[in-house]
């Protein structure tokens, strides 16, 4: 099984935030499994203690069992299991394997941080219970001396082990926080994309159009440049939905938006601002130039064939209104002018391009 598959166990059907926590839990479980496995090899090969190695290998399998909980969909149970195993393991390490001079109980510091990072915000009970347990167990291990450890270590070895625990603690904290920060950044990008994109066509939505369009118009006015708007609306779109159904209607919107987008320049802003209403903001474009582009779009739309499974294909048309930003300071005003031109196009029989004139 690939590492990526293990990391994604239990991640299906969850929100962005929950997805990040699930993946991070799986990553931490895998890292802890590897670290515990290396300790098992150390007890067996370097310290020649098969009893401790066997016990520790059992804990290694227990860490890996976290992924089995995830596979079954027991997300909260998997997290609780992992931290419970970790705390019991640290207790055994400190009070059975060796003594508190080894510093194993310092790993308890990771539990509160991990609990608050990995559990959902509404799972405060689990967060507080695990954090409280980790603090209590740390104090117990810190103040309890194991007089009969299974492994006798000299002061130098204990000091070396103590330093390794501190080092691993620091590495794990940095690693986990780095992954978490990347997940947050990824989620923020996805949320930003969703907030600014029309889910059907993948174009900019109405909110994005006004946000970016106002910036474009302000920039154009500042440089004394002309910006034009091309507003288009499908002709008799309701009849398409009534005859073929909304699924075909949505297909029509997607197909036509692709055709129009193929004509748009990289600097143009193409957005869906209504059901079947689209707009293109075209910087550095005067009224005549925008008219020529709109005419190309109109012709391309009218010739594009919309495929229908099991039925005859059909074509559709759109009407276009064009306005230019001469002496216009507000995008809303420019859009209203384009809308008036669009209304004229509808009045002229549709499937045509009309320019706004004061």
């Amino acid at each position: 099984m690939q590492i990526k598959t293990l990391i994604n166990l239990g991640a299906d059907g969850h929100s962005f935030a929950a997805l990040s926590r699930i993946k991070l839990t799986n990553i931490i479980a895998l890292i802890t499994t590897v670290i515990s496995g290396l300790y098992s090899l150390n007890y067996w090969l370097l310290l020649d203690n098969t009893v401790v190695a066997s016990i520790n290998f059992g804990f290694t399998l227990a860490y890996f069992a976290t992924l089995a909980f995830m596979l079954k969909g027991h997300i909260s149970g998997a997290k609780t299991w992992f931290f419970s195993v970790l705390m019991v393991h640290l207790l055994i390490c400190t009070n059975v394997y060796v003594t508190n001079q080894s510093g194993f109980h310092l790993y308890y510091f990771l539990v509160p941080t991990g609990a608050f990072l990995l559990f959902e915000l509404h799972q405060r009970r689990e967060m507080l219970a695990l954090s409280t347990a980790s603090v209590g167990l740390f104090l117990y291990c810190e103040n309890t001396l194991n007089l009969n450890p299974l492994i006798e270590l000299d002061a130098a070895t204990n000091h070396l082990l103590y330093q390794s625990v501190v080092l691993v603690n620091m590495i794990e904290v940095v690693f986990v926080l780095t992954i978490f920060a990347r997940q947050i950044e990824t989620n923020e990008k996805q949320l930003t994309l969703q907030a600014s994109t029309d889910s059907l066509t993948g174009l900019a939505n109405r909110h994005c159009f006004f946000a970016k369009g106002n910036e474009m118009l302000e920039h154009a006015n500042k440089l004394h440049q002309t910006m034009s708007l091309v507003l288009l609306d499908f002709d008799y779109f309701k009849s398409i939905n009534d005859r073929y159904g909304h699924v075909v209607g949505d297909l029509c919107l997607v197909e036509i938006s692709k055709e129009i987008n193929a004509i748009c320049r990289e600097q143009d802003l193409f957005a869906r601002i209504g059901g079947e209403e689209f707009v293109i903001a075209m910087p550095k474009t005067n009224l005549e130039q925008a008219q020529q582009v709109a005419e190309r779009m109109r012709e391309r739309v009218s010739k594009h064939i919309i495929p229908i499974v099991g039925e005859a294909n059909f074509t559709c048309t759109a009407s276009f209104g064009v306005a230019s930003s001469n002496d216009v300071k507000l995008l809303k005003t420019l859009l209203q002018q384009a809308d008036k031109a669009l209304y004229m196009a509808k009045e002229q029989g549709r499937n045509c391009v009309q320019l706004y004139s004061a």
Side-chain angles (χ1 to χ4, degrees):
M1 187 178 291
Q2 295 181 350
I3 297 297
K4 186 176 181 180
T5 302
L6 294 175
I7 292 174
N8 285 292
L9 287 176
D12 294 336
H14 291 275
S15 63
F16 289 144
L19 185 67
S20 299
R21 290 184 172 93
I22 291 170
K23 289 183 177 181
L24 192 55
T25 301
N26 292 337
I27 292 172
I28 293 173
L30 286 171
I31 292 174
T32 309
T33 299
V34 172
I35 293 174
S36 181
L38 292 175
Y39 272 116
S40 298
L41 291 175
N42 176 64
Y43 296 139
W44 176 37
L45 298 176
L46 299 181
L47 299 178
D48 194 27
N49 193 316
T50 55
V51 174
V52 174
S54 299
I55 297 173
N56 208 75
F57 185 69
F59 279 105
T60 302
L61 295 178
Y63 288 127
F64 192 74
T66 302
L67 300 176
F69 282 97
M70 287 292 191
L71 181 62
K72 295 295 184 179
H74 304 306
I75 309 302
S76 180
K79 297 172 184 178
T80 303
W81 168 265
F82 172 79
F83 285 113
S84 299
V85 170
L86 176 62
M87 289 190 290
V88 173
H89 191 194
L90 297 178
L91 180 64
I92 297 299
C93 288
T94 306
N95 286 63
V96 178
Y97 295 173
V98 288
T99 67
N100 55 14
Q101 293 180 351
S102 63
F104 274 116
H105 59 302
L106 296 179
Y107 282 120
Y108 281 118
F109 292 151
L110 295 175
V111 175
T113 302
F116 277 85
L117 282 176
L118 299 181
F119 280 94
E120 301 295 328
L121 294 178
H122 65 272
Q123 296 175 313
R124 293 184 180 88
R125 184 181 301 176
E126 289 86 345
M127 296 178 190
L128 293 174
L130 291 169
S131 299
T132 302
S134 67
V135 172
L137 288 170
F138 170 78
L139 293 174
Y140 174 79
C141 293
E142 179 71 16
N143 296 284
T144 302
L145 182 62
N146 179 19
L147 299 177
N148 299 298
L150 295 179
I151 302 174
E152 295 285 350
L153 299 175
D154 55 33
T157 304
N158 266 322
H159 182 65
L160 182 62
L161 191 57
Y162 188 94
Q163 289 181 320
S164 71
V165 171
V166 173
L167 179 62
V168 172
N169 261 289
M170 294 175 64
I171 292 174
E172 284 198 345
V173 168
V174 172
F175 184 76
V176 169
L177 291 180
T178 299
I179 294 176
F180 198 71
R182 288 180 178 177
Q183 289 291 343
I184 291 175
E185 184 179 356
T186 301
N187 290 344
E188 286 180 345
K189 288 180 179 179
Q190 289 178 324
L191 290 173
T192 300
L193 182 63
Q194 283 188 343
S196 61
T197 304
D198 175 60
S199 59
L200 177 64
T201 61
L203 301 175
N205 60 18
R206 185 180 183 88
H207 172 77
C208 180
F209 168 73
F210 278 100
K212 291 186 177 180
N214 277 309
E215 292 178 2
M216 292 169 65
L217 182 57
E218 182 179 348
H219 181 73
N221 289 333
K222 185 177 180 180
L223 298 179
H224 304 289
Q225 296 174 345
T226 302
M227 186 177 89
S228 294
L229 286 190
V230 175
L231 185 65
L232 67 104
D233 186 87
F234 282 68
D235 297 329
Y236 305 109
F237 189 73
K238 184 178 182 300
S239 64
I240 296 176
N241 281 331
D242 292 342
R243 179 177 179 182
Y244 300 105
H246 289 278
V247 173
V248 174
D250 288 347
L251 174 63
C252 185
L253 293 176
V254 173
E255 289 279 324
I256 297 304
S257 64
K258 288 180 180 178
E259 292 298 306
I260 295 173
N261 199 34
I263 298 177
C264 292
R265 304 166 301 177
E266 185 177 349
Q267 64 266 36
D268 295 337
L269 175 61
F270 185 22
R272 182 187 180 194
I273 59 173
E276 63 270 14
E277 195 171 48
F278 296 78
V279 64
I280 306 101
M282 308 178 69
K284 300 180 182 180
T285 307
N286 59 35
L287 194 63
E288 291 73 19
Q289 292 170 330
Q291 180 186 21
Q292 294 174 5
V293 175
E295 187 60 41
R296 288 173 54 203
M297 292 177 177
R298 184 202 62 78
E299 184 177 358
R300 188 156 181 166
V301 169
S302 63
K303 291 182 178 180
H304 184 72
I305 298 175
I306 308 298
I308 305 179
V309 177
E311 292 191 37
N313 300 328
F314 73 95
T315 59
C316 64
T317 62
S319 301
F320 293 75
V322 183
S324 183
S325 65
N326 295 326
D327 299 323
V328 175
K329 302 300 180 183
L330 297 176
L331 182 66
K332 183 179 180 180
T333 303
L334 187 60
L335 186 62
Q336 289 173 342
Q337 293 178 354
D339 188 56
K340 290 180 179 179
L342 175 61
Y343 179 79
M344 292 171 56
K346 295 286 187 180
E347 289 290 304
Q348 293 295 323
R350 295 178 170 82
N351 189 25
C352 63
V353 178
Q354 289 293 324
L355 306 182
Y356 172 78
S357 58

